[in-house]
Structure formats: structure tokens, C-alpha cells
Amino acid sequence: MSNYITSNFSNLIFSCSVPSQWHMEHRVPDHCVVFVRQGKLLISDKGRTEEIPAGSCVFLKKDCSVRLVKASFAGKNYEGLNIRLPQNILEDYFQRHLKNNEFPQD
């Protein structure tokens, strides 16, 4: 197993670096946006796997069944930045910015 390094700021943003070939997680504690800085992120849910390459970002919903594999790619270990979005922050955003329950279409 790898040595997992995180820095957490006000429980909202943290960065991580996985200094080995891969690290697996089974749980996403809050909704979050993940920016993959280097390496790749494999997300498996309900029999389907998506690969998120370096330079890309993805929104992950709070879901205990999702499986994340943070893996090295092209000789570079995984590094990423996660922005956690707890339920109260999302509710506050939607109450302030979306009127009449109008959700973006795209």
C-alpha cells in the first residue's frame, strides 16, 4: 500500500500525491470536484469504469459505492486537487443563484 499524503484546508480543499503505482478508495465522503494534475483517476461504479486523464476534472457525487483508483501514468505518479462540496454549501449556492428551481440544461 502507498503512503498517502494530503493537505486539508478548512475541510474544503485538499491535495494529494500517491508516491507509488496506485491507491484505491471505496468512498467519496462529500460531493467534490477533482482536478487530476498528473497520473490518472479510474472511477468504477455499477460495472462501468471511466478514466480521467491528467489535465481533466470531474464532478463526483457523494456515493459510498463508487471505487476510485488513483494510478500512475506515463511514469508520473498520481497528483490531484479535490474541492469538497458538502451538502450545506451546495444548498446555499442553489438557493442564492438559481431562481424558481431553474437548473442549467447542459
Side-chain angles (χ1 to χ4, degrees):
M1 201 42 94
S2 64
N3 293 325
Y4 190 62
I5 303 166
T6 62
S7 299
N8 194 339
F9 303 100
S10 299
N11 204 28
L12 295 177
I13 299 175
F14 69 93
S15 60
C16 67
S17 174
V18 179
S20 65
Q21 292 295 322
W22 62 273
H23 175 80
M24 185 171 61
E25 295 180 36
H26 292 283
R27 184 172 185 272
V28 178
D30 286 310
H31 300 294
C32 65
V33 175
V34 178
F35 173 72
V36 179
R37 189 167 172 265
Q38 66 181 34
K40 64 182 176 181
L41 179 65
L42 302 170
I43 304 168
S44 299
D45 186 28
K46 299 176 184 165
R48 183 174 160 192
T49 300
E50 294 289 331
E51 182 176 312
I52 311 302
S56 298
C57 63
V58 64
F59 175 82
L60 297 174
K61 66 180 184 169
K62 179 180 178 178
D63 183 20
C64 293
S65 67
V66 70
R67 185 181 123 188
L68 302 176
V69 176
K70 298 171 180 179
S72 61
F73 182 73
K76 295 183 178 182
N77 291 333
Y78 177 87
E79 287 185 7
L81 175 70
N82 293 26
I83 302 172
R84 294 178 63 191
L85 302 167
Q87 190 71 30
N88 62 332
I89 290 176
L90 291 175
E91 287 173 356
D92 180 59
Y93 176 83
F94 284 116
Q95 287 175 2
R96 287 187 294 131
H97 296 286
L98 294 178
K99 295 177 178 38
N100 301 323
N101 293 330
E102 295 174 2
F103 287 91
Q105 296 300 311
D106 49 0

